[in-house]
Amino acid sequence: MKKLKRPSVGNVEKENERDETYEAKNPKIDLSRTKHNYHIIKPHVSYMDYINERIAGLHLKRKVRSDAIYMNTFVLGSGHEFFEGMPTAKQEEFFEDLVKFFADKYGAENIISAVVHMDETTPHLHLNLVPITNGKLCSKDLYSPKKLSALQTELANTVGKKWGLKRGKIGSQAQHIEAAEYTANEIMTKAQAAADVRNAKPNSTSTTSYSRWRARRTSLYRQSASTRKRKSKLCAHRTLHCRRASTSGTKIRLIYSSSCNAPKG
C-alpha cells in the first residue's frame, strides 16, 4: 500500500489507466496485451476530480492541508501459479471479491478506481481509495502499521480462505514494483551485481572457477568500456588542470580529491 499526496496522484493514474499509447518504461509491460486490462470499478472523472468531489461532500470546517494524503493505492493479487489455467470468469470473480471486501470495509463511495492489469507477468488489481473516516480525510487513522497488518489478516480470512490462499508472511517487505520505479531499481541491481563480481575473490585451488570468474569480469569490463573511457578523459582533464594550477598545497589537494585515483598532494 502506498500513501500519495496530491502531486503524485496524476502519475499513478497514468500508469493505472494506461492504454496502448502509454510509454512504458517497465519492460514487463506488454502493450500488445494492454487492451485486455479491465475495470471492476471505472472512474467517471479524473482521480483528482473524484477526490475533490468526495472532500467537498464532507463540508469540512478547515481547508485540507497541502501535504495531506489524498489517495491510498493497493496492489492485490497472488502468484503466477494461482492464475495458471484459471478460466477468465473465475479470475474476474476473484478480483471482484477483493473489491467487494474493500468496498464493505471502507465504503464503495471512497473507491476511485479498481482496474485489473493483464499486460504484465501476473494479473493483479490496482485499487485506489480516498482515505475518509469519521467524516474527515485521514489516511493515518485508517492505515497505521498495526491496522495494515490486521487488514492483511482479515483479507486472508475472508477472500483468501475462499480461494485457498494463505496470508503472506507477517512483516514481509515484498511489494509490487511500479513501472515508474522499475528502471531505477533495475539499474541499481545491475550495478551492485557488477560490483560483487569485481570484488569477488576466485578460488585459487580451482582452475575452472578462476577461468569463469576471469571471463565474467572481462565481459563486465567490455560492457562498461564507454563509461571507463569517459572517466579516463575526465581524469586526464583534471590532471592537466592541476599542473596549470597554483602550487599551493591546499588548492592541489582540493583538485585531486575530486579526480579519479589521483595522487594526494
Side-chain angles (χ1 to χ4, degrees):
M1 189 276 294
K2 288 187 176 180
K3 301 177 180 180
L4 302 175
K5 296 179 181 180
R6 178 186 285 271
S8 302
V9 172
N11 292 331
V12 171
E13 180 177 6
K14 289 178 182 178
E15 197 273 332
N16 283 186
E17 307 296 329
R18 62 178 175 256
D19 57 20
E20 292 85 347
T21 63
Y22 178 73
E23 296 181 3
K25 294 182 179 179
N26 184 350
K28 292 185 178 181
I29 296 177
D30 181 357
L31 291 176
S32 68
R33 294 192 288 136
T34 300
K35 61 185 177 183
H36 299 302
N37 293 352
Y38 62 93
H39 286 84
I40 305 297
I41 295 179
K42 187 173 184 177
H44 61 277
V45 292
S46 71
Y47 284 13
M48 206 61 235
D49 283 346
Y50 191 96
I51 293 169
N52 288 334
E53 285 180 9
R54 289 293 297 125
I55 293 175
L58 298 177
H59 303 293
L60 301 174
K61 295 180 179 180
R62 295 182 181 179
K63 185 178 180 180
V64 177
R65 292 172 50 176
S66 59
D67 63 346
I69 301 300
Y70 280 79
M71 185 174 84
N72 293 91
T73 181
F74 292 81
V75 181
L76 307 163
S78 187
H80 181 73
E81 298 79 9
F82 174 75
F83 293 105
E84 193 171 5
M86 180 182 286
T88 303
K90 278 291 183 183
Q91 183 189 103
E92 292 178 359
E93 182 184 347
F94 171 69
F95 288 120
E96 286 171 358
D97 285 348
L98 289 172
V99 174
K100 183 178 184 303
F101 171 84
F102 277 83
D104 291 342
K105 188 170 182 66
Y106 300 112
E109 68 279 7
N110 292 322
I111 298 180
I112 305 167
S113 171
V115 56
V116 177
H117 282 175
M118 300 293 294
D119 57 359
E120 296 182 57
T121 306
T122 305
H124 56 273
L125 170 72
H126 287 270
L127 189 142
N128 304 292
L129 286 161
V130 188
I132 293 176
T133 179
N134 297 323
K136 62 180 180 178
L137 188 73
C138 191
S139 176
K140 184 178 180 180
D141 286 353
L142 286 173
Y143 306 117
S144 65
K146 185 176 180 179
K147 288 184 177 180
L148 276 175
S149 180
L151 172 63
Q152 287 182 292
T153 300
E154 186 180 351
L155 184 60
N157 290 337
T158 51
V159 180
K161 189 175 182 179
K162 172 184 174 180
W163 292 91
L165 297 173
K166 295 181 179 180
R167 187 199 192 286
K169 184 178 179 181
I170 296 177
S172 171
Q173 297 301 310
Q175 58 181 327
H176 175 79
I177 300 179
E178 298 292 340
E181 300 173 334
Y182 180 85
T183 303
N185 286 347
E186 188 74 1
I187 290 173
M188 291 174 66
T189 300
K190 288 182 178 179
Q192 183 60 50
D196 291 343
V197 172
R198 288 196 298 270
N199 296 331
K201 294 181 179 180
N203 184 353
S204 59
T205 62
S206 173
T207 304
T208 302
S209 297
Y210 177 79
S211 298
R212 289 178 178 174
W213 173 83
R214 190 177 183 84
R216 175 60 177 159
R217 182 172 179 175
T218 301
S219 175
L220 285 169
Y221 280 160
R222 286 176 178 174
Q223 291 174 14
S224 60
S226 61
T227 300
R228 290 185 287 108
K229 187 175 181 180
R230 288 196 298 271
K231 287 184 177 180
S232 178
K233 289 183 178 179
L234 180 61
C235 290
H237 172 74
R238 287 174 175 168
T239 301
L240 179 62
H241 183 57
C242 287
R243 290 173 180 171
R244 293 177 178 176
S246 166
T247 56
S248 168
T250 302
K251 290 185 179 179
I252 294 296
R253 278 195 293 272
L254 284 173
I255 294 172
Y256 272 134
S257 66
S258 63
S259 63
C260 303
N261 299 321
K264 294 181 179 180

